[in-house]
Amino acid sequence: MRKVTVVGAGNVGATCANVLAHKDIVKEVVLLDIMGNLAKGKALDMWQQAPVDYYSTYLHGSDNYEETADSDIVVITAGVPRKPGMSRDDLISTNAKIVNLVTESILKYSKNPIIIVVSNPLDVMTLAAYRASGLDSTRVFGMAGILDTARYRAFLAEALQVSPKDIQAVLLGGHGDTMVPLPRYTTVSGIPVTDLIDMATLDKIVERTKMGGGELVQLMGTSAWYAPGAAAAQMVETIVRDEHRIFPCCVLLDGQYGLKDIFLGLPVKLGKNGIEQIIDLKLNDDELKLLHDSASHVKQVIDVFNGMSL
Ligand code: APR
């Protein structure tokens, strides 16, 4: 794999491109934005960082989709971010049109790319890109779970005074306040987290994780970009290196947990062909109920999306 396009040269897209360049794993990164000069300028700035930080990935920016031709992977971050008081779902009418247009434009020049969606509301924007692309569902999926688990892991590392590297976790459901962190599947270097922390503190961390995006919107007046950009770049890396790593990603469900025709976060194995496997967990009744509640919430946003004329 040699070419990655990042659509949207804003906070998340530019961060993703920058982190990706530092990994030095692809030949070329194209940063595309309707604000062409912004994309050109940021990409040029990052290319000028290459001699300082020692990477060879060539970055260039554009507003012309021809320059994205034959991309192996496309990361879609185009759209408007949240402002204080807004939920991710409030973004739907603006971002659905953008994601639809972006996906159609990408497919004109790249025949069978892998598409990673980051724009919010994530679960429904991933569905929008999947429908507009006509690609197999193993090649269109969304970034949310890596970010949400990263927030959860960071909070746990702080509470336990351990390295965030040693915290493993998985999380299910929609990318919103109904997401389902799974303490039963959380370990610190193999030690169940429940052996190390009291339930009241753990419950607080779970709640803070669910509201993690909103906490940052309140602080900054716009949504986060460092962790989201890095999380999307990590998905690209896993695919480029064909690593078969397991991450929670937003994928099309086909009967898992009794759910169908909906994009939701589940743990998957990622490799050079995209989603190689959706990992089935043995959920207990409480976890299953939370997952179904989250799915019902996402379904409501899908209904709004289905009622829109794009
Ligand atoms: N085509 C290409 N780029 C577009 C289009 C379009 N049709 N519409 C908007 N953009 C670009 C904007 O010009 C802007 O540069 O998308 C970029 C978005 O950048 P920011 O406003 O900085 O938003 P950001 O914080 O990066 O968030 C982008 O990711 O995490 C999600 O909720 C977030 O949906 C939002 C998206």
Side-chain angles (χ1 to χ4, degrees):
M1 294 202 190
R2 44 172 284 275
K3 182 166 176 177
V4 175
T5 291
V6 179
V7 186
N11 286 335
V12 178
T15 305
C16 176
N18 197 255
V19 173
L20 205 50
H22 281 82
K23 291 181 187 286
D24 209 8
I25 51 171
V26 293
K27 207 161 174 281
E28 183 182 355
V29 172
V30 184
L31 198 53
L32 187 133
D33 201 288
I34 35 165
M35 292 164 71
N37 282 344
L38 178 82
K40 282 180 193 156
K42 287 194 182 183
L44 180 61
D45 191 11
M46 288 186 225
W47 175 233
Q48 291 168 357
Q49 192 181 2
V52 181
D53 282 354
Y54 291 117
Y55 51 78
S56 313
T57 300
Y58 177 63
L59 301 110
H60 58 107
S62 185
D63 53 6
N64 180 352
Y65 280 88
E66 271 179 48
E67 290 193 35
T68 71
D70 302 321
S71 292
D72 299 296
I73 304 175
V74 178
V75 181
I76 301 181
T77 76
V80 294
R82 278 201 279 173
K83 299 281 170 238
M86 290 171 86
S87 77
R88 293 182 182 90
D89 300 343
D90 294 334
L91 306 174
I92 186 165
S93 60
T94 313
N95 286 357
K97 290 191 184 75
I98 294 174
V99 169
N100 209 43
L101 179 76
V102 165
T103 308
E104 285 173 0
S105 309
I106 284 291
L107 264 288
K108 280 188 196 147
Y109 299 97
S110 300
K111 289 289 157 268
N112 195 27
I114 288 176
I115 299 182
I116 300 171
V117 180
V118 182
S119 311
N120 275 309
L122 192 271
D123 308 279
V124 184
M125 292 306 100
T126 311
L127 172 69
Y130 167 67
R131 283 189 188 158
S133 71
L135 293 171
D136 193 88
S137 62
T138 54
R139 301 185 77 81
V140 186
F141 40 93
M143 188 294 294
I146 297 180
L147 170 65
D148 295 327
T149 45
R151 287 178 173 150
Y152 177 55
R153 291 162 65 200
F155 297 148
L156 280 170
E158 211 174 343
L160 294 168
Q161 290 290 293
V162 299
S163 166
K165 289 183 198 168
D166 287 334
I167 298 179
Q168 300 81 32
V170 63
L171 182 147
L172 310 175
H175 181 49
D177 305 346
T178 62
M179 70 179 76
V180 188
L182 294 174
R184 212 161 59 83
Y185 288 89
T186 308
T187 69
V188 184
S189 283
I191 306 161
V193 73
T194 42
D195 287 3
L196 302 174
I197 200 165
D198 63 273
M199 277 318 285
T201 311
L202 187 55
D203 286 346
K204 267 194 208 141
I205 287 175
V206 165
E207 285 314 305
R208 189 174 174 199
T209 302
K210 290 183 183 177
M211 305 297 174
E215 180 179 353
L216 288 157
V217 174
Q218 283 302 326
L219 289 168
M220 304 191 294
T222 188
S223 54
W225 59 90
Y226 292 114
Q234 187 171 53
M235 287 171 73
V236 173
E237 179 178 21
T238 302
I239 295 163
V240 170
R241 292 189 191 276
D242 195 23
E243 286 182 315
H244 314 291
R245 291 197 67 183
I246 295 174
F247 290 124
C249 296
C250 175
V251 288
L252 182 64
L253 272 61
D254 185 27
Q256 289 86 357
Y257 311 103
L259 297 163
K260 224 173 152 35
D261 302 326
I262 181 172
F263 275 84
L264 273 185
L266 291 185
V268 300
K269 195 194 286 181
L270 275 187
K272 68 176 185 323
N273 298 314
I275 308 283
E276 300 189 327
Q277 188 190 346
I278 298 180
I279 316 277
D280 276 327
L281 304 178
K282 292 185 174 55
L283 298 182
N284 64 30
D285 289 348
D286 290 345
E287 291 158 349
L288 208 53
K289 182 177 180 312
L290 288 172
L291 180 64
H292 277 259
D293 288 350
S294 188
S296 313
H297 180 79
V298 171
K299 280 218 166 92
Q300 285 171 18
V301 191
I302 292 178
D303 288 343
V304 175
F305 170 65
N306 285 336
M308 286 171 60
S309 56
L310 293 174

